[in-house]
Amino acid sequence: MAQVKARAITGFPEWLPQVKRIEQQWIDRIRAVYEHYGYLPIETPAIELLDVLRAKGDIDKEIYVVKKLHENASEKFGLHYDLTVPFARYVAQNQGQLTFPFRRYQMQKIWRGERPQKGRYREFYQCDIDVVDNGKLGLYFDFEVLYAGQEAMKALGIPEFVIGVSNRKIYEGFLEGIGVEDTENSLRIIDKMDKVGREGVAKLLREEVGLEAATIEQALLPAAIKSRDLSFVEEFRALGVHTEKTEAGISELASIMTMVAHAGDANVRADLSFVRGFDYYTGTIFEGKFVEDIGLGSICSGGRYDNLAARFTNRHLPGVGFSIGLSRIFGGMVDRGLLPDLNEPFIDVLVLRTDDNDLPEVVRLANVLRRRGYRVETYAYPDKIGKQFKYAGKRRVPYVWVASRDQAGQFEVKDMRSGEQALGDPETWKGEF
């Protein structure tokens, strides 16, 4: 059989064990925060019907189609490209068995058919929390998912970040108030401010929407408003455009920022410059970035969606969610050498062999230590003791036990960091001399 060259597919991250271990620790930390807020875990299939996936809008170019299932089926299938749409389907399908308001967290891989680049993958983890309620959803939940989400991110020990909070109604109502007719296309262009800059946005508004220079200048005024307190309210109202929609949006955003202020210690600010989520967000929106730009762009996002579940049920099930782009953040840290010590030991104890007949003793010793909570590996072969100690050094094991008892029934234990040796009883040993 001819050999095949070993090579991985671009856009599908594959980590060495010491790196993968840290990624799993991150997931555990996020899970712990979410569960402290009462969120319950769910998992939906990697594959969904294409009709389900299209509930978010025109995203066919992002979907990986699963052709094998198509061969003998009247319906078509694809890999899910986010977790929110499958969640909406899940809630609609199981609504009779859920207790509302329903809080869930979901941490799974998703797939998107886009060009891979630094911090952007074809296969990646998202870590989401969402709340869905029956009939109405209190504004408190917008605050809760935001605050829980930023707490989960702080638990990762990543560089300083800030999460911008806005409301779709504010900018949309503002553009309507100054007479812009094509508000949706205008908002899509304004949302590119980070990518093309103010001049680039102005150029696109002129060329693609046909706005006059004076209108463009006025249309970009809200984008400059950012604050960590409630000063954004007066700054926006000073612009002189007041509509029912802008007042609703400002009021909702002010309520959320008031709750953030009372909760304290949050990496959050009001930021009217972004208007993301055209496909289904209807009110509050979130977007987080690192304070120091390291080329990753958005690292978390979310918002309120009042109508997404309507695709699957006649029941009104509004929701709000927050999503952490785990793989984007983690991959960015790996690429830039910003992860903590990758050589932290995987295990606490390595049990060494001394002869061909000591396996029963080795097994007993290792199991006693494991039952007491230590992570224990046994060396498989009765090799020369020097070779076994060399292996322990490569594994950076803190403690080595030699599986030959003394007359008092104790074992020799060596601290590999200090070189100190002593006798230890596996039933009482406390990881120190």
Side-chain angles (χ1 to χ4, degrees):
M1 181 182 295
Q3 281 194 333
V4 177
K5 184 178 180 181
R7 52 180 179 167
I9 305 172
T10 59
F12 292 77
E14 186 176 66
W15 309 121
L16 290 172
Q18 61 268 33
V19 178
K20 181 65 178 178
R21 182 171 180 243
I22 296 177
E23 183 185 57
Q24 290 177 332
Q25 290 173 347
W26 280 26
I27 291 173
D28 289 341
R29 292 174 192 171
I30 293 171
R31 179 185 295 109
V33 173
Y34 288 171
E35 291 186 349
H36 274 119
Y37 280 79
Y39 286 75
L40 299 170
I42 71 165
E43 183 171 317
T44 56
I47 297 173
E48 297 274 357
L49 290 164
L50 285 183
D51 285 347
V52 169
L53 297 177
R54 288 171 177 148
K56 187 178 177 182
D58 183 18
I59 40 71
D60 280 8
K61 65 180 181 179
E62 296 184 6
I63 298 175
Y64 282 112
V65 174
V66 182
K67 291 186 177 181
K68 182 67 176 177
L69 291 176
H70 292 178
E71 291 179 0
N72 299 306
S74 58
E75 297 179 294
K76 296 183 181 296
F77 307 86
L79 296 174
H80 59 217
Y81 64 90
D82 80 348
L83 298 177
T84 308
V85 171
F87 173 59
R89 187 270 306 158
Y90 176 95
V91 171
Q93 190 171 348
N94 296 285
Q95 56 188 287
Q97 302 174 67
L98 302 176
T99 300
F100 293 98
F102 177 54
R103 292 173 168 91
R104 83 85 168 85
Y105 71 84
Q106 188 172 354
M107 298 188 285
Q108 289 181 235
K109 285 185 176 181
I110 63 176
W111 296 267
R112 289 187 185 170
E114 55 186 355
R115 184 173 64 86
Q117 51 188 297
K118 289 288 187 182
R120 187 177 293 274
Y121 303 107
R122 291 167 170 163
E123 176 186 70
F124 53 97
Y125 275 107
Q126 281 192 186
C127 300
D128 289 13
I129 48 171
D130 287 79
V131 184
V132 167
D133 208 348
N134 181 22
K136 65 177 181 178
L137 183 71
L139 198 62
Y140 163 77
F141 293 110
D142 296 43
F143 155 76
E144 183 177 273
V145 298
L146 166 64
Y147 199 80
Q150 64 91 34
E151 277 204 332
M153 290 178 64
K154 287 199 288 189
L156 304 180
I158 58 178
E160 186 180 0
F161 62 90
V162 63
I163 301 173
V165 190
S166 190
N167 192 297
R168 286 292 311 280
K169 299 170 187 175
I170 298 173
Y171 225 130
E172 188 174 332
F174 181 83
L175 293 181
E176 291 172 354
I178 64 173
V180 175
E181 295 183 359
D182 189 355
T183 57
E184 183 172 338
N185 196 27
S186 298
L187 288 172
R188 288 183 185 276
I189 292 171
I190 292 170
D191 201 41
K192 297 178 181 179
M193 188 79 73
D194 280 350
K195 296 179 180 178
V196 301
R198 186 182 180 88
E199 293 303 316
V201 166
K203 182 174 183 289
L204 291 172
L205 288 174
R206 182 174 61 254
E207 295 176 352
E208 297 186 14
V209 185
L211 299 185
E212 299 293 332
T215 304
I216 291 173
E217 183 176 354
Q218 189 176 13
L220 296 182
L221 291 175
I225 298 176
K226 301 176 177 65
S227 72
R228 290 186 180 267
D229 54 26
L230 294 180
S231 60
F232 71 90
V233 176
E234 293 308 316
E235 286 186 60
F236 179 80
R237 287 178 174 155
L239 300 180
V241 177
H242 309 290
T243 69
E244 183 177 345
K245 192 174 288 186
T246 60
E247 289 303 303
I250 283 290
S251 176
E252 291 173 11
L253 182 56
S255 295
I256 292 170
M257 290 301 295
T258 299
M259 286 184 271
V260 168
H262 279 84
D265 192 29
N267 293 26
V268 173
R269 72 179 178 190
D271 184 347
L272 306 191
S273 69
F274 71 97
V275 285
R276 66 181 310 277
F278 306 96
D279 298 312
Y280 56 84
Y281 289 135
T282 54
T284 305
I285 47 177
F286 317 124
E287 183 170 83
K289 297 179 181 180
F290 285 120
V291 172
E292 182 180 345
D293 184 11
I294 60 173
L296 292 182
S298 175
I299 56 175
C300 63
S301 62
R304 174 175 283 250
Y305 46 92
D306 286 334
N307 306 311
L308 184 58
R311 179 71 181 266
F312 310 111
T313 179
N314 291 327
R315 197 172 176 183
H316 185 48
L317 299 171
V320 62
F322 186 97
S323 178
I324 298 174
L326 181 76
S327 294
R328 175 174 291 191
I329 301 171
F330 187 77
M333 299 297 99
V334 173
D335 292 340
R336 292 159 180 80
L338 297 176
L339 286 183
D341 185 5
L342 296 177
N343 294 314
E344 180 185 348
F346 281 67
I347 57 174
D348 304 308
V349 171
L350 175 66
V351 179
L352 305 190
R353 302 275 310 274
T354 57
D355 58 57
D356 291 329
N357 302 313
D358 64 358
L359 268 179
E361 194 68 45
V362 167
V363 170
R364 282 194 295 271
L365 169 57
N367 281 347
V368 169
L369 291 170
R370 288 188 187 112
R371 284 196 296 268
R372 296 187 57 223
Y374 295 105
R375 301 170 297 173
V376 181
E377 180 183 336
T378 59
Y379 195 88
Y381 312 103
D383 292 332
K384 291 181 178 180
I385 201 72
K387 182 177 180 180
Q388 296 184 59
F389 271 107
K390 185 176 181 181
Y391 175 79
K394 287 182 177 179
R395 294 278 280 150
R396 293 181 176 267
V397 182
Y399 296 100
V400 167
W401 285 60
V402 181
S404 59
R405 292 179 184 264
D406 71 348
Q407 290 183 349
Q410 293 185 314
F411 297 87
E412 184 177 290
V413 185
K414 181 174 182 177
D415 186 329
M416 294 292 289
R417 297 159 299 185
S418 68
E420 186 178 355
Q421 293 184 209
L423 295 176
D425 182 346
E427 297 286 357
T428 59
W429 183 69
K430 296 182 179 180
E432 57 187 21
F433 294 135

Short mmCIF file of all heavy atoms in Angstrom, two decimals, residues 295-335:
data_model
loop_
_atom_site.label_atom_id
_atom_site.label_comp_id
_atom_site.label_asym_id
_atom_site.label_seq_id
_atom_site.Cartn_x
_atom_site.Cartn_y
_atom_site.Cartn_z
N GLY A 295 -5.04 41.91 16.25
CA GLY A 295 -5.42 41.39 14.94
C GLY A 295 -6.50 40.33 14.94
O GLY A 295 -6.69 39.65 13.93
N LEU A 296 -7.26 40.22 16.03
CA LEU A 296 -8.30 39.19 16.09
C LEU A 296 -9.70 39.72 15.86
O LEU A 296 -10.63 38.95 15.62
CB LEU A 296 -8.26 38.48 17.45
CG LEU A 296 -7.03 37.61 17.73
CD1 LEU A 296 -7.17 36.93 19.08
CD2 LEU A 296 -6.82 36.58 16.64
N GLY A 297 -9.88 41.03 15.92
CA GLY A 297 -11.22 41.57 15.72
C GLY A 297 -12.15 41.18 16.85
O GLY A 297 -11.78 41.11 18.02
N SER A 298 -13.40 40.86 16.49
CA SER A 298 -14.41 40.51 17.48
C SER A 298 -14.08 39.17 18.14
O SER A 298 -13.75 38.19 17.48
CB SER A 298 -15.79 40.42 16.82
OG SER A 298 -16.76 39.96 17.73
N ILE A 299 -14.16 39.11 19.48
CA ILE A 299 -13.87 37.88 20.21
C ILE A 299 -15.09 37.34 20.95
O ILE A 299 -15.08 36.22 21.45
CB ILE A 299 -12.70 38.06 21.20
CG1 ILE A 299 -12.99 39.20 22.18
CG2 ILE A 299 -11.40 38.31 20.44
CD1 ILE A 299 -11.93 39.36 23.27
N CYS A 300 -16.15 38.15 21.03
CA CYS A 300 -17.42 37.68 21.59
C CYS A 300 -18.52 38.57 21.03
O CYS A 300 -18.26 39.68 20.56
CB CYS A 300 -17.41 37.73 23.12
SG CYS A 300 -17.25 39.39 23.81
N SER A 301 -19.73 38.08 21.06
CA SER A 301 -20.83 38.85 20.49
C SER A 301 -22.15 38.28 21.00
O SER A 301 -22.19 37.24 21.66
CB SER A 301 -20.79 38.81 18.96
OG SER A 301 -20.93 37.47 18.50
N GLY A 302 -23.22 38.95 20.65
CA GLY A 302 -24.53 38.45 21.04
C GLY A 302 -25.57 39.54 20.95
O GLY A 302 -25.32 40.63 20.43
N GLY A 303 -26.75 39.24 21.47
CA GLY A 303 -27.82 40.21 21.44
C GLY A 303 -29.18 39.57 21.57
O GLY A 303 -29.32 38.36 21.79
N ARG A 304 -30.20 40.42 21.45
CA ARG A 304 -31.59 39.99 21.60
C ARG A 304 -32.20 39.66 20.25
O ARG A 304 -32.03 40.40 19.28
CB ARG A 304 -32.40 41.10 22.29
CG ARG A 304 -33.90 40.82 22.38
CD ARG A 304 -34.61 41.89 23.15
NE ARG A 304 -34.40 41.72 24.59
CZ ARG A 304 -35.36 41.34 25.45
NH1 ARG A 304 -36.57 41.05 25.00
NH2 ARG A 304 -35.09 41.23 26.72
N TYR A 305 -32.92 38.55 20.22
CA TYR A 305 -33.62 38.14 19.00
C TYR A 305 -35.06 37.78 19.38
O TYR A 305 -35.33 36.79 20.03
CB TYR A 305 -32.92 36.96 18.33
CG TYR A 305 -32.51 35.85 19.25
CD1 TYR A 305 -33.34 34.76 19.49
CD2 TYR A 305 -31.28 35.88 19.90
CE1 TYR A 305 -32.97 33.73 20.34
CE2 TYR A 305 -30.90 34.86 20.76
CZ TYR A 305 -31.75 33.79 20.98
OH TYR A 305 -31.37 32.78 21.82
N ASP A 306 -36.00 38.64 18.98
CA ASP A 306 -37.38 38.44 19.39
C ASP A 306 -38.16 37.51 18.46
O ASP A 306 -39.19 36.97 18.86
CB ASP A 306 -38.11 39.79 19.45
CG ASP A 306 -37.69 40.62 20.66
OD1 ASP A 306 -37.28 40.00 21.67
OD2 ASP A 306 -37.74 41.85 20.60
N ASN A 307 -37.66 37.31 17.25
CA ASN A 307 -38.48 36.60 16.26
C ASN A 307 -37.84 35.36 15.66
O ASN A 307 -38.42 34.74 14.77
CB ASN A 307 -38.81 37.58 15.12
CG ASN A 307 -39.46 38.85 15.62
OD1 ASN A 307 -40.40 38.80 16.42
ND2 ASN A 307 -38.95 39.99 15.18
N LEU A 308 -36.66 34.96 16.12
CA LEU A 308 -35.96 33.84 15.49
C LEU A 308 -36.74 32.54 15.58
O LEU A 308 -36.82 31.77 14.62
CB LEU A 308 -34.58 33.67 16.12
CG LEU A 308 -33.68 32.61 15.49
CD1 LEU A 308 -33.45 32.90 14.02
CD2 LEU A 308 -32.36 32.52 16.22
N ALA A 309 -37.36 32.27 16.73
CA ALA A 309 -38.09 31.00 16.89
C ALA A 309 -39.37 30.96 16.07
O ALA A 309 -39.96 29.90 15.89
CB ALA A 309 -38.41 30.76 18.36
N ALA A 310 -39.81 32.11 15.55
CA ALA A 310 -41.05 32.15 14.77
C ALA A 310 -40.95 31.30 13.52
O ALA A 310 -41.98 30.90 12.95
CB ALA A 310 -41.39 33.60 14.40
N ARG A 311 -39.73 31.00 13.07
CA ARG A 311 -39.56 30.14 11.90
C ARG A 311 -40.03 28.71 12.19
O ARG A 311 -40.38 27.97 11.28
CB ARG A 311 -38.08 30.14 11.49
CG ARG A 311 -37.74 29.26 10.30
CD ARG A 311 -38.29 29.82 9.01
NE ARG A 311 -37.99 28.97 7.88
CZ ARG A 311 -36.94 29.11 7.09
NH1 ARG A 311 -36.07 30.08 7.32
NH2 ARG A 311 -36.74 28.30 6.08
N PHE A 312 -40.04 28.34 13.48
CA PHE A 312 -40.32 26.95 13.85
C PHE A 312 -41.62 26.76 14.64
O PHE A 312 -42.04 25.63 14.86
CB PHE A 312 -39.15 26.41 14.69
CG PHE A 312 -37.81 26.65 14.08
CD1 PHE A 312 -36.92 27.55 14.66
CD2 PHE A 312 -37.42 26.00 12.92
CE1 PHE A 312 -35.67 27.78 14.10
CE2 PHE A 312 -36.18 26.22 12.35
CZ PHE A 312 -35.29 27.12 12.94
N THR A 313 -42.24 27.86 15.14
CA THR A 313 -43.43 27.72 15.96
C THR A 313 -44.26 28.99 15.91
O THR A 313 -43.72 30.08 15.67
CB THR A 313 -43.05 27.42 17.43
OG1 THR A 313 -44.24 27.32 18.22
CG2 THR A 313 -42.16 28.49 18.00
N ASN A 314 -45.57 28.87 16.16
CA ASN A 314 -46.44 30.04 16.23
C ASN A 314 -46.37 30.71 17.60
O ASN A 314 -46.86 31.82 17.77
CB ASN A 314 -47.89 29.64 15.94
CG ASN A 314 -48.08 29.22 14.49
OD1 ASN A 314 -47.43 29.74 13.59
ND2 ASN A 314 -48.98 28.26 14.27
N ARG A 315 -45.76 30.05 18.55
CA ARG A 315 -45.62 30.59 19.89
C ARG A 315 -44.53 31.65 19.91
O ARG A 315 -43.48 31.47 19.29
CB ARG A 315 -45.27 29.45 20.84
CG ARG A 315 -45.48 29.73 22.32
CD ARG A 315 -45.26 28.41 23.07
NE ARG A 315 -45.36 28.57 24.50
CZ ARG A 315 -45.15 27.59 25.37
NH1 ARG A 315 -44.83 26.38 24.91
NH2 ARG A 315 -45.25 27.81 26.66
N HIS A 316 -44.78 32.76 20.60
CA HIS A 316 -43.78 33.84 20.67
C HIS A 316 -42.75 33.49 21.74
O HIS A 316 -43.07 33.45 22.93
CB HIS A 316 -44.46 35.17 20.99
CG HIS A 316 -43.52 36.34 20.97
ND1 HIS A 316 -42.63 36.58 19.94
CD2 HIS A 316 -43.33 37.34 21.89
CE1 HIS A 316 -41.93 37.67 20.20
NE2 HIS A 316 -42.33 38.15 21.37
N LEU A 317 -41.51 33.24 21.31
CA LEU A 317 -40.45 32.81 22.21
C LEU A 317 -39.22 33.71 22.02
O LEU A 317 -38.23 33.34 21.39
CB LEU A 317 -40.06 31.35 21.91
CG LEU A 317 -41.17 30.31 22.11
CD1 LEU A 317 -40.73 28.96 21.57
CD2 LEU A 317 -41.54 30.19 23.58
N PRO A 318 -39.25 34.93 22.56
CA PRO A 318 -38.11 35.84 22.42
C PRO A 318 -36.90 35.35 23.21
O PRO A 318 -37.04 34.67 24.24
CB PRO A 318 -38.63 37.16 22.98
CG PRO A 318 -39.70 36.75 23.95
CD PRO A 318 -40.33 35.52 23.37
N GLY A 319 -35.70 35.71 22.73
CA GLY A 319 -34.49 35.25 23.40
C GLY A 319 -33.39 36.29 23.36
O GLY A 319 -33.45 37.28 22.63
N VAL A 320 -32.36 36.05 24.17
CA VAL A 320 -31.16 36.88 24.16
C VAL A 320 -29.99 35.97 24.48
O VAL A 320 -30.11 35.04 25.28
CB VAL A 320 -31.26 38.05 25.17
CG1 VAL A 320 -31.39 37.55 26.60
CG2 VAL A 320 -30.07 38.99 25.03
N GLY A 321 -28.85 36.20 23.83
CA GLY A 321 -27.72 35.31 24.02
C GLY A 321 -26.38 36.01 23.94
O GLY A 321 -26.27 37.16 23.47
N PHE A 322 -25.37 35.30 24.41
CA PHE A 322 -23.98 35.80 24.40
C PHE A 322 -23.09 34.64 23.97
O PHE A 322 -23.21 33.53 24.50
CB PHE A 322 -23.59 36.27 25.81
CG PHE A 322 -22.24 36.92 25.91
CD1 PHE A 322 -22.13 38.29 25.87
CD2 PHE A 322 -21.08 36.16 26.05
CE1 PHE A 322 -20.88 38.91 25.98
CE2 PHE A 322 -19.84 36.76 26.16
CZ PHE A 322 -19.74 38.14 26.11
N SER A 323 -22.19 34.91 23.03
CA SER A 323 -21.35 33.85 22.48
C SER A 323 -19.87 34.24 22.58
O SER A 323 -19.48 35.33 22.16
CB SER A 323 -21.71 33.61 21.00
OG SER A 323 -20.87 32.62 20.45
N ILE A 324 -19.08 33.32 23.14
CA ILE A 324 -17.63 33.51 23.22
C ILE A 324 -16.97 32.75 22.09
O ILE A 324 -17.18 31.54 21.95
CB ILE A 324 -17.08 33.01 24.57
CG1 ILE A 324 -17.69 33.81 25.72
CG2 ILE A 324 -15.56 33.11 24.61
CD1 ILE A 324 -17.31 33.29 27.10
N GLY A 325 -16.19 33.43 21.28
CA GLY A 325 -15.47 32.78 20.19
C GLY A 325 -14.22 32.11 20.73
O GLY A 325 -13.11 32.63 20.57
N LEU A 326 -14.41 30.97 21.38
CA LEU A 326 -13.31 30.33 22.10
C LEU A 326 -12.10 30.06 21.21
O LEU A 326 -10.97 30.39 21.55
CB LEU A 326 -13.79 29.02 22.74
CG LEU A 326 -12.70 28.29 23.53
CD1 LEU A 326 -12.46 28.96 24.87
CD2 LEU A 326 -13.06 26.83 23.74
N SER A 327 -12.33 29.44 20.06
CA SER A 327 -11.20 29.07 19.20
C SER A 327 -10.47 30.29 18.66
O SER A 327 -9.25 30.27 18.50
CB SER A 327 -11.68 28.18 18.05
OG SER A 327 -12.15 26.94 18.54
N ARG A 328 -11.21 31.35 18.36
CA ARG A 328 -10.55 32.57 17.88
C ARG A 328 -9.62 33.14 18.94
O ARG A 328 -8.47 33.49 18.67
CB ARG A 328 -11.59 33.61 17.47
CG ARG A 328 -10.95 34.94 17.07
CD ARG A 328 -11.95 35.91 16.52
NE ARG A 328 -12.45 35.49 15.22
CZ ARG A 328 -13.19 36.25 14.41
NH1 ARG A 328 -13.51 37.47 14.78
NH2 ARG A 328 -13.59 35.80 13.25
N ILE A 329 -10.13 33.22 20.18
CA ILE A 329 -9.30 33.74 21.27
C ILE A 329 -8.13 32.80 21.54
O ILE A 329 -6.98 33.22 21.62
CB ILE A 329 -10.13 33.92 22.55
CG1 ILE A 329 -11.30 34.87 22.31
CG2 ILE A 329 -9.25 34.44 23.68
CD1 ILE A 329 -12.29 34.92 23.46
N PHE A 330 -8.44 31.51 21.69
CA PHE A 330 -7.41 30.54 22.06
C PHE A 330 -6.34 30.45 20.98
O PHE A 330 -5.14 30.48 21.27
CB PHE A 330 -8.05 29.17 22.29
CG PHE A 330 -7.11 28.15 22.84
CD1 PHE A 330 -6.77 28.17 24.18
CD2 PHE A 330 -6.56 27.18 22.03
CE1 PHE A 330 -5.90 27.23 24.71
CE2 PHE A 330 -5.68 26.24 22.54
CZ PHE A 330 -5.35 26.26 23.89
N GLY A 331 -6.76 30.34 19.72
CA GLY A 331 -5.79 30.28 18.63
C GLY A 331 -4.92 31.52 18.57
O GLY A 331 -3.72 31.45 18.29
N GLY A 332 -5.53 32.69 18.84
CA GLY A 332 -4.77 33.92 18.87
C GLY A 332 -3.71 33.93 19.96
O GLY A 332 -2.59 34.40 19.76
N MET A 333 -4.07 33.37 21.12
CA MET A 333 -3.11 33.29 22.22
C MET A 333 -1.97 32.32 21.87
O MET A 333 -0.80 32.58 22.16
CB MET A 333 -3.79 32.82 23.50
CG MET A 333 -4.90 33.72 24.04
SD MET A 333 -4.34 35.38 24.51
CE MET A 333 -4.83 36.30 23.03
N VAL A 334 -2.32 31.19 21.23
CA VAL A 334 -1.30 30.22 20.83
C VAL A 334 -0.34 30.84 19.82
O VAL A 334 0.89 30.75 19.96
CB VAL A 334 -1.96 28.95 20.24
CG1 VAL A 334 -0.89 28.02 19.66
CG2 VAL A 334 -2.77 28.22 21.29
N ASP A 335 -0.89 31.48 18.79
CA ASP A 335 -0.07 32.06 17.73
C ASP A 335 0.90 33.12 18.25
O ASP A 335 2.00 33.30 17.72
CB ASP A 335 -0.96 32.69 16.64
CG ASP A 335 -1.74 31.65 15.85
OD1 ASP A 335 -1.33 30.47 15.88
OD2 ASP A 335 -2.76 32.02 15.24
#
